[in-house]
Amino acid sequence: MTTPSSVQGGNPVQERRETFSSRKLFILSAIGSAVGLGNIWRFPYIAYDNGGGAFLIPYLAALLSAGIPLLFLDYAIGHKFRGSAPLAYRRLHRGAEVLGWWQVLVCFIIAIYYAVIIAWAAMYTWFSVTKAWGDDAAGFLMGEFLQVADVPGVKLEYVPGIFWPLLVVWLVIIVIMVAGVRRGISRANGIFLPLLVVMFVLLVVQSLFLPGAIDGLNAFFTPNWEALGDPGVWAAAYGHIFFSLSVAFGIMVTYSSYLKRKTDLTGSGMVVAFANSGFEILAGIGVFAALGFMAQAAGSAIDEVATAGVGLAFIAFPTIVSEAPFGALMGVLFFGSLVFAGMTSLISILEVIVAAVQDKTGWGRVASAVSVCVPVALISIVLFPTVTGLYLLDTFDAFVNSFGILAGALVAVVLISWVFRKLPLLSKHLNRTSTVKMRRTWMVLVGVVAPLALAYMLYNEFVTKITEPYEGYPVEFLAIYGWGMAGALVVVAVILTLVPWSRKSKVDDPEYAAIAADEDEEKVS
Amino acid sequence: MTPIAITMLVIALLTIWGGLALSLVNLSRHPEDEGQLPEDIAPEL
């Protein structure tokens, strides 16, 4: 909790910046943020589809050459400049504030649809007990549960079975966010993350005992070495690592701004990065063991049942739950894991927005959290528990990932490395208190390797999405909610940058000024 | 499981979980600065 501090001079009384009470809680929260739905429902299929066991090589290369270096870039910015994304970027360079707002807006878009998936998973935790889907999980999902309209669009026709759980999800999240970094975020992660790990380990153990599990593991780990010659496989590895570690959209900048001054940034970051990957490998084992069982039960091959995303979680898994011994338990463990993994990530996504508003306005925690979370929740509740919610969710997700996160990351690394030339300064900051030193190699990885990988991925995304309409959705729908939404993020980011900082804001925070002066002195001595 | 699948499973676990173990060992060798320890930790943690 924040404690008011008396401030010298004529400035209004400001609250001290909150901090994580220990390094352990920061690491737990950062892992909670990084481990999300993607680790469970995306990684297993990506690895299987891109060379199986051989995928490990591009995966590790991407982790070490781009994922971890970019993670440290975020840590360095957040920790050195001690602010939310807009404030930290502004302190890095006056012209960089807009990058921070762009990241805040990306988080806004993700938050409004991410909560909906948590609500679905919460409902499916209960459905696992009743086996509500009967023999037709796909038909149940699209028909009875989501009641998906035939044509993509935005209709305000509500589905009560999603509306109410979504409302509950938002209420829980709002309580956590209002409580702040120590009482809310730290505690929620301290409870949800261990729960997630225990539930997921139990799920993996249960999956391994299913008949056919070995076939699934064979499919997952057998290497296809030829895949290594395919640039698409390497792009998939970089793309996955990039999204998996939650880098470059403000989360890690915000979380590291709550770290105490003398913290081992890189040492902590290594734990976060490897814990995230460790969880993914576990997910791969659990998911493919279960898919092996599903294939055997259906008398089909693994490649016929292997899938990712909504199809894996809400169609394949319910089918497995119906057929497996102790299926109800398996369903509760799987969907419960999705709920907890999603909650800890959503908290971090919202914190980016709350922190930005708190810094720019100078409002207290409660006022900032309420004024951010309530409108975000309302927009989420108005747009998504509807018959067209799935189309909107899918489109927002596809376009914000490519033209929000990827594009934003590319612009940010290029500007920071080559225009503002701040990498030497940030490298010095990382090395000031960290055990794993980041020097010239890190600068080359952030300044050269990461931009090249990001540019290649962005180019691919652009070509794919411009050549044919995404998922065959109507062009006007994509023009507004895909391309239009992604473009609007940049425009609104510019507008928010032009809004002057309030007199009470953190822009001239004496606490930061004192720290910056201290660090300058250290350098001189 | 086939020998090659088992080999890749073992390599994956060794590199990634091994990396996690090493980074945890590295971190535990460098405890937090005593002067920076918190005054009020949330009770259930």
Side-chain angles (χ1 to χ4, degrees):
Chain A
M1 187 61 188
T2 53
T3 46
S5 68
S6 54
V7 176
Q8 328 83 309
N11 287 330
V13 175
Q14 287 188 323
E15 288 183 335
R16 287 174 69 87
R17 188 168 190 79
E18 267 198 290
T19 54
F20 282 106
S21 55
S22 71
R23 183 173 68 180
K24 194 177 95 188
L25 285 174
F26 163 74
I27 292 174
L28 272 181
S29 304
I31 296 173
S33 169
V35 172
L37 301 173
N39 297 60
I40 300 174
W41 77 14
R42 192 168 184 273
F43 171 78
Y45 183 77
I46 294 280
Y48 166 76
D49 197 37
N50 288 284
F55 185 70
L56 186 66
I57 293 166
Y59 178 83
L60 282 175
L63 176 69
L64 298 174
S65 71
I68 292 177
L70 285 176
L71 183 69
F72 291 163
L73 176 71
D74 276 1
Y75 280 4
I77 295 172
H79 192 248
K80 176 162 181 62
F81 299 108
R82 301 184 73 77
S84 58
L87 180 57
Y89 278 106
R90 185 190 164 97
R91 283 175 176 161
L92 176 128
H93 190 281
R94 234 188 144 84
E97 184 182 334
V98 68
L99 296 173
W101 286 113
W102 193 2
Q103 297 182 349
V104 168
L105 292 165
V106 163
C107 288
F108 163 70
I109 295 291
I110 298 175
I112 59 176
Y113 70 75
Y114 209 83
V116 187
I117 305 171
I118 300 175
W120 296 351
M123 286 311 287
Y124 268 67
T125 312
W126 168 244
F127 292 161
S128 300
V129 180
T130 61
K131 311 243 168 66
W133 45 73
D135 307 327
D136 181 13
F140 173 81
L141 174 72
M142 297 298 178
E144 205 174 315
F145 182 58
L146 297 179
Q147 300 174 22
V148 179
D150 296 334
V151 187
V154 177
K155 274 192 197 163
L156 300 184
E157 212 173 287
Y158 291 92
V159 182
I162 309 167
F163 179 90
W164 294 110
L166 180 61
L167 185 68
V168 173
V169 166
W170 276 113
L171 288 175
V172 173
I173 290 285
I174 289 173
V175 169
I176 295 170
M177 298 312 295
V178 165
V181 176
R182 288 196 183 187
R183 288 186 175 179
I185 297 175
S186 297
R187 280 188 189 179
N189 279 289
I191 296 166
F192 291 163
L193 191 68
L195 253 176
L196 165 66
V197 173
V198 170
M199 288 174 74
F200 208 79
V201 167
L202 288 176
L203 173 74
V204 172
V205 171
Q206 194 183 356
S207 304
L208 287 173
F209 282 102
L210 293 172
I214 298 298
D215 300 331
L217 293 186
N218 271 332
F220 185 64
F221 282 107
T222 301
N224 166 19
W225 299 115
E226 280 169 24
L228 297 184
D230 177 1
V233 168
W234 290 81
Y238 277 87
H240 179 76
I241 280 291
F242 178 75
F243 290 117
S244 178
L245 277 176
S246 307
V247 285
F249 58 107
I251 294 177
M252 293 303 169
V253 170
T254 309
Y255 270 9
S256 58
S257 77
Y258 297 132
L259 272 170
K260 290 175 177 161
R261 282 184 61 204
K262 289 187 184 166
T263 300
D264 183 350
L265 291 175
T266 55
S268 308
M270 284 291 188
V271 174
V272 174
F274 278 102
N276 176 61
S277 293
F279 191 90
E280 286 189 332
I281 293 287
L282 196 66
I285 294 172
V287 165
F288 269 83
L291 288 174
F293 164 75
M294 184 178 169
Q296 197 189 62
S300 48
I302 303 276
D303 63 344
E304 289 171 46
V305 296
T307 174
V310 172
L312 172 74
F314 298 102
I315 298 175
F317 252 90
T319 312
I320 295 165
V321 166
S322 289
E323 291 165 359
F326 305 106
L329 172 68
M330 194 167 178
V332 169
L333 292 173
F334 178 77
F335 292 109
S337 297
L338 282 184
V339 170
F340 292 129
M343 287 284 238
T344 50
S345 299
L346 181 57
I347 290 169
S348 67
I349 291 165
L350 280 167
E351 182 58 22
V352 174
I353 319 173
V354 173
V357 168
Q358 205 173 355
D359 281 348
K360 187 127 186 175
T361 58
W363 295 343
R365 175 75 201 187
V366 177
S368 308
V370 169
S371 61
V372 166
C373 296
V374 171
V376 171
L378 284 177
I379 294 170
S380 171
I381 291 169
V382 166
L383 288 178
F384 291 96
T386 65
V387 293
T388 49
L390 182 64
Y391 296 119
L392 194 59
L393 187 155
D394 192 22
T395 308
F396 270 10
D397 183 52
F399 281 80
V400 84
N401 278 333
S402 310
F403 308 113
I405 303 183
L406 262 185
L410 179 62
V411 174
V413 286
V414 168
L415 286 180
I416 293 166
S417 313
W418 299 104
V419 180
F420 306 138
R421 296 187 168 270
K422 294 289 183 184
L423 291 186
L425 180 79
L426 295 169
S427 149
K428 207 175 274 177
H429 183 79
L430 281 174
N431 295 335
R432 204 174 64 91
T433 51
S434 295
T435 49
V436 187
K437 302 296 178 195
M438 295 292 134
R439 296 194 177 96
R440 187 158 295 166
T441 312
W442 175 75
M443 289 193 245
V444 171
L445 292 174
V446 172
V448 181
V449 176
L452 288 176
L454 290 168
Y456 181 75
M457 287 187 276
L458 186 61
Y459 171 76
N460 274 346
E461 284 293 324
F462 185 74
V463 170
T464 315
K465 290 204 168 74
I466 204 87
T467 336
E468 46 186 295
Y470 175 70
E471 292 285 329
Y473 293 161
V475 176
E476 318 82 71
F477 178 76
L478 292 175
I480 300 172
Y481 300 102
W483 299 104
M485 175 274 296
L489 298 187
V490 180
V491 176
V492 179
V494 172
I495 296 171
L496 289 171
T497 307
L498 296 175
V499 172
W501 288 71
S502 132
R503 209 174 63 86
K504 286 192 300 178
S505 77
K506 294 282 182 187
V507 72
D508 296 317
D509 183 13
E511 189 190 347
Y512 170 74
I515 290 171
D518 237 27
E519 284 178 12
D520 283 347
E521 238 170 68
E522 268 175 39
K523 250 180 259 164
V524 175
S525 59
Chain B
M1 278 178 83
T2 58
I4 184 73
I6 294 174
T7 313
M8 292 315 290
L9 165 74
V10 171
I11 294 175
L13 294 185
L14 280 181
T15 47
I16 293 179
W17 287 4
L20 176 60
L22 279 180
S23 39
L24 281 169
V25 168
N26 170 58
L27 203 64
S28 65
R29 282 202 190 139
H30 301 90
E32 286 182 283
D33 184 355
E34 289 292 317
Q36 301 279 333
L37 284 178
E39 317 76 17
D40 54 335
I41 302 176
E44 74 270 32
L45 298 173

